[in-house]
Amino acid sequence: MIELATCYASSDEDEDKSTGENDPTNPKEEFTQGGKSVPDNDVVTAEQAAVDVKKMMNDINICPFIDETQIESQRKKFLPTSINQVNFNVKYDLCSPLHGPASNPLRQDKLPRKNFLTGVVEATNVNDYHFEAQRIKFHCDGIAFNPSDDATLADKVVRGEASIQIGSNPGDPTADPQEKKIRDLFKNKKRLKNGDPSDVSNYLGPWAPYENESAVARPSEEEQKEIDELLAKRKKSHHKKEDKPEFEEKSTLHISDPYDYQGRSFLFPPKDIGVSLNPGAGPSRCFLPKNIIHTYTGHTKAITAIQWFPKSAHLFLSASMDCKIKLWETYKERRCVLTYMGHKQAVRSVDFNRSGERFVSCSYDRALKLWDTETGQCIKRFNNRKVAFCVKFNPDEQKSHLFLSGMSDKKILCWDTRTGNVVQEYDRHLGAINTITFIDNNRRFVSTSDDKSIRVWEWDIPVDMKYIADPGLHSMPAVCQAPNAKWLACQSMDNKIQGFSCLNNFKLNSKKIFTGHMSAGYACQPDFSPDMSYLISGDADGKLFVWDWKTTKLLKKLQAHENVCISCLWHPHETSKILTAGWDAKIHLWD
């Protein structure tokens, strides 16, 4: 405003000056201050004012000179915060530059939304095969191709620490030969050509080898030394493992008279005990047991399974958690005949073959072993990586060399004792196999599993012919067959024993359900009396329960053991003799 006022004043004064010069009669103007006159020497004339305004205008540069190079440099940079004056018009947005890859095709005004914690992640199409090939090549040889599009010819190869440093002149013939070898790897190899099919002896076709290709790759001397040292170390470690022998199977004979005066072993059933032990002979009527007449002691830990000797039942086997199997006498002195030691962990199950001369055992050490009952020798070992929960020989005379094992990996394996190999596999269950029972004159067998189902199989056919599964069913860890082969009694985990008919249609009989005992969580083995009058079973409290088979009424309850009564067997040729085994490491004989 001051500058404009001075300009207007200067213009008026110029006009007055021009008029005054033309009119000589015009006297000099006098200025007054506060109504008083000012002396002539102190009065500022128009000419002096105009001169002062021109000086002021020369001091103020309204349009200074701006260098264009400075403007361009300022446009390329951000404005520093120290300046207080901008000498040019800003023609771009005052925002931060676009961060990210230089080849980002996205424009600044079309940035995507933030899709990552620290910014934007872009999707890039990369060929997996080529990327993996270059990555392996870089880690092995320290050299790979640069995938960047803007890479120059000199930067087409990326080298790491493992690669050889290339000189300033890669084409120098005096360069390192190893460097030249690496460079040659990237050259196209040429194949030998001979596509003439008439040349039978020298025809190569599409399988022609490369030029100078060596058919045998031999390591260098240094590499061969390293390989020999490595193999020597492996042999030493392997020998150390072999030096640790496996648990040696052995047996101990506890009686001094294993043979009688006729040279017959203890496997021959006695004839002078007053009871007929012939296979077809059985009591016509059975009675309830009353007292314990004998206690077998010898095991140091809980007993897991017991089994009668086939047909005669004058001997019985007992398996225990102390890794031992013992053979006992049922009559006379009731001694321990043999002790079989060959397992490293608790024995799970045992089973005699048809004649009783051999038996098979399974243990938690994942071992299946075939034993000779008389000599105590381990005949064969069956190697498997899974635990067998039950074993069962085929009772058929022509198939007595085969036995089944229910495994923890949901399979039933059929083993051949002659070769030691698996000859059949039944794989349909969804849980560990608990029991295997032969029915229908050994033409079929029934299996129960932790999947709460029952499957009926035809022998040697790996597809189940009948599948029983119901929401009301529970897992059945113990099953026994009736003497007349018409019924199966299955110990259920809901504290019940359920009867299944195994004649034409294998199905549950709702009238054959026995309750009153506490067996949930334990595989308590039930059994029938020889005349099919009673059903017996142990429970978790160590008690022995006796039910009437026809009416399912609980007849008697006896305190058999201090701990779990895991198994009970009714003698097939006696009216009231029962064998019970418990987790108190004792076996009781009742009568």
Side-chain angles (χ1 to χ4, degrees):
M1 294 297 290
I2 296 174
E3 294 177 358
L4 292 175
T6 55
C7 292
Y8 290 139
S10 63
S11 62
D12 294 340
E13 289 175 357
D14 292 339
E15 292 177 358
D16 294 339
K17 180 178 179 181
S18 61
T19 55
E21 291 178 352
N22 296 329
D23 190 4
T25 61
N26 188 15
K28 294 181 179 180
E29 295 182 359
E30 295 181 355
F31 293 91
T32 59
Q33 295 180 357
K36 296 181 182 182
S37 59
V38 181
D40 188 22
N41 53 359
D42 294 335
V43 175
V44 179
T45 62
E47 295 176 356
Q48 294 177 351
V51 172
D52 294 338
V53 169
K54 289 181 180 180
K55 290 182 178 179
M56 293 175 61
M57 293 295 290
N58 292 330
D59 294 340
I60 299 175
N61 189 1
I62 298 177
C63 184
F65 175 75
I66 302 299
D67 189 4
E68 294 182 359
T69 59
Q70 183 180 1
I71 295 175
E72 294 297 329
S73 62
Q74 289 293 334
R75 285 180 179 176
K76 294 181 180 180
K77 300 180 181 179
F78 284 109
L79 296 175
T81 58
S82 61
I83 65 172
N84 298 324
Q85 185 178 4
V86 180
N87 296 327
F88 59 92
N89 293 331
V90 181
K91 295 184 180 180
Y92 60 91
D93 297 333
L94 294 176
C95 61
S96 60
L98 179 64
H99 293 280
S103 61
N104 188 354
L106 301 175
R107 296 180 58 186
Q108 190 174 5
D109 56 344
K110 295 182 180 180
L111 287 175
R113 297 182 64 182
K114 183 178 180 181
N115 60 1
F116 195 65
L117 182 63
T118 57
V120 179
V121 177
E122 303 174 15
T124 304
N125 294 326
V126 180
N127 191 306
D128 294 340
Y129 172 77
H130 291 93
F131 176 81
E132 189 67 15
Q134 295 301 325
R135 186 188 70 81
I136 296 174
K137 185 69 177 175
F138 184 80
H139 284 286
C140 295
D141 299 335
I143 185 170
F145 283 114
N146 190 352
S148 301
D149 294 334
D150 56 350
T152 61
L153 292 176
D155 298 333
K156 274 296 183 182
V157 176
V158 180
R159 296 183 179 273
E161 297 179 356
S163 66
I164 301 174
Q165 298 179 358
I166 297 179
S168 59
N169 186 9
D172 187 4
T174 61
D176 190 354
Q178 186 68 18
E179 175 186 348
K180 184 176 182 301
K181 183 179 179 181
I182 294 176
R183 196 184 305 113
D184 292 341
L185 293 175
F186 295 93
K187 293 182 180 179
N188 294 328
K189 295 183 179 181
K190 295 182 179 179
R191 287 181 179 269
L192 299 176
K193 295 181 179 179
N194 186 7
D196 186 8
S198 61
D199 188 0
V200 180
S201 59
N202 297 325
Y203 175 70
L204 299 177
W207 304 279
Y210 291 98
E211 294 181 355
N212 300 327
E213 181 181 357
S214 59
V216 179
R218 295 182 180 179
S220 61
E221 294 181 359
E222 296 180 358
E223 293 176 347
Q224 187 63 37
K225 289 181 181 179
E226 294 179 359
I227 293 173
D228 294 340
E229 292 178 359
L230 181 61
L231 293 177
K233 290 181 181 179
R234 288 183 179 178
K235 286 182 179 179
K236 288 181 180 179
S237 61
H238 185 65
H239 285 308
K240 287 182 180 179
K241 292 181 180 179
E242 288 184 352
D243 290 338
K244 296 180 180 179
E246 295 184 359
F247 192 79
E248 183 180 358
E249 297 87 358
K250 59 182 180 179
S251 60
T252 305
L253 183 64
H254 300 286
I255 58 176
S256 58
D257 52 346
Y259 301 96
D260 58 7
Y261 67 98
Q262 293 183 355
R264 298 174 298 188
S265 68
F266 51 82
L267 298 182
F268 187 79
K271 301 293 184 179
D272 54 349
I273 57 175
V275 178
S276 176
L277 300 180
N278 296 326
S284 59
R285 184 180 179 184
C286 295
F287 304 95
L288 298 181
K290 297 181 180 178
N291 300 317
I292 299 174
I293 60 175
H294 186 75
T295 300
Y296 297 90
T297 58
H299 287 291
T300 57
K301 291 185 179 180
I303 297 171
T304 57
I306 54 176
Q307 188 184 20
W308 293 117
F309 191 84
K311 300 178 182 179
S312 61
H314 70 287
L315 301 171
F316 68 90
L317 272 179
S318 64
S320 173
M321 292 185 182
D322 59 3
C323 312
K324 296 179 182 179
I325 305 170
K326 291 181 178 291
L327 183 67
W328 308 84
E329 291 179 338
T330 308
Y331 297 100
K332 296 183 178 181
E333 300 180 14
R334 298 189 174 96
R335 301 168 296 178
C336 178
V337 181
L338 266 173
T339 300
Y340 309 87
M341 295 170 286
H343 289 286
K344 299 179 182 178
Q345 296 185 20
V347 183
R348 168 77 181 189
S349 176
V350 291
D351 187 64
F352 280 107
N353 65 352
R354 177 182 176 86
S355 61
E357 297 176 355
R358 298 179 179 181
F359 70 91
V360 65
S361 63
C362 62
S363 170
Y364 286 102
D365 60 359
R366 305 179 182 180
L368 289 143
K369 297 188 178 183
L370 181 67
W371 302 83
D372 187 282
T373 309
E374 182 178 350
T375 61
Q377 180 184 2
C378 181
I379 301 173
K380 196 175 290 294
R381 306 176 188 86
F382 305 92
N383 297 324
N384 193 34
R385 296 183 179 180
K386 301 296 180 179
V387 178
F389 285 163
C390 59
V391 286
K392 195 72 174 180
F393 265 103
N394 191 323
D396 192 86
E397 184 175 1
Q398 298 178 355
K399 304 173 184 176
S400 59
H401 59 279
L402 302 174
F403 72 91
L404 299 175
S405 64
M407 314 305 294
S408 60
D409 60 348
K410 314 170 190 177
K411 297 180 181 179
I412 301 174
L413 302 180
C414 180
W415 301 83
D416 192 336
T417 58
R418 299 172 298 183
T419 61
N421 299 326
V422 177
V423 296
Q424 186 59 273
E425 180 179 310
Y426 305 86
D427 186 9
R428 300 282 287 181
H429 275 290
L430 303 178
I433 311 300
N434 291 327
T435 64
I436 298 173
T437 308
F438 282 89
I439 60 172
D440 194 12
N441 294 325
N442 307 322
R443 291 178 294 183
R444 303 174 184 175
F445 65 91
V446 180
S447 62
T448 62
S449 171
D450 284 343
D451 59 2
K452 302 179 182 180
S453 68
I454 301 176
R455 296 178 188 263
V456 184
W457 311 77
E458 289 278 357
W459 177 257
D460 213 15
I461 298 178
V463 179
D464 50 324
M465 59 166 293
K466 191 172 184 63
Y467 170 68
I468 300 175
D470 188 83
L473 289 179
H474 289 72
S475 177
M476 299 177 181
V479 177
C480 71
Q481 187 179 18
N484 58 6
K486 296 181 180 180
W487 297 92
L488 287 183
C490 303
Q491 185 77 258
S492 179
M493 280 294 185
D494 57 349
N495 300 322
K496 296 179 182 178
I497 298 179
Q498 297 178 338
F500 286 84
S501 173
C502 53
L503 286 177
N504 297 329
N505 294 327
F506 191 93
K507 61 180 181 179
L508 173 66
N509 192 331
S510 58
K511 296 182 180 180
K512 299 296 182 181
I513 297 178
F514 304 85
T515 59
H517 63 309
M518 185 71 65
S519 62
Y522 302 93
C524 298
Q525 180 69 36
D527 196 18
F528 286 90
S529 63
D531 64 344
M532 286 287 298
S533 299
Y534 306 108
L535 178 68
I536 58 175
S537 174
D539 77 337
D541 297 330
K543 296 179 181 178
L544 176 64
F545 289 78
V546 183
W547 290 274
D548 185 273
W549 171 250
K550 293 183 180 180
T551 62
T552 69
K553 181 180 178 181
L554 180 62
L555 301 178
K556 201 167 189 179
K557 182 170 58 176
L558 302 171
Q559 186 66 41
H561 296 273
E562 299 177 359
N563 210 323
V564 181
C565 181
I566 197 66
S567 181
C568 57
L569 299 176
W570 201 302
H571 198 284
H573 301 289
E574 295 281 353
T575 58
S576 59
K577 278 190 171 59
I578 296 177
L579 203 64
T580 60
W583 281 11
D584 56 359
K586 295 180 180 179
I587 302 173
H588 296 315
L589 183 61
W590 296 75
D591 195 357

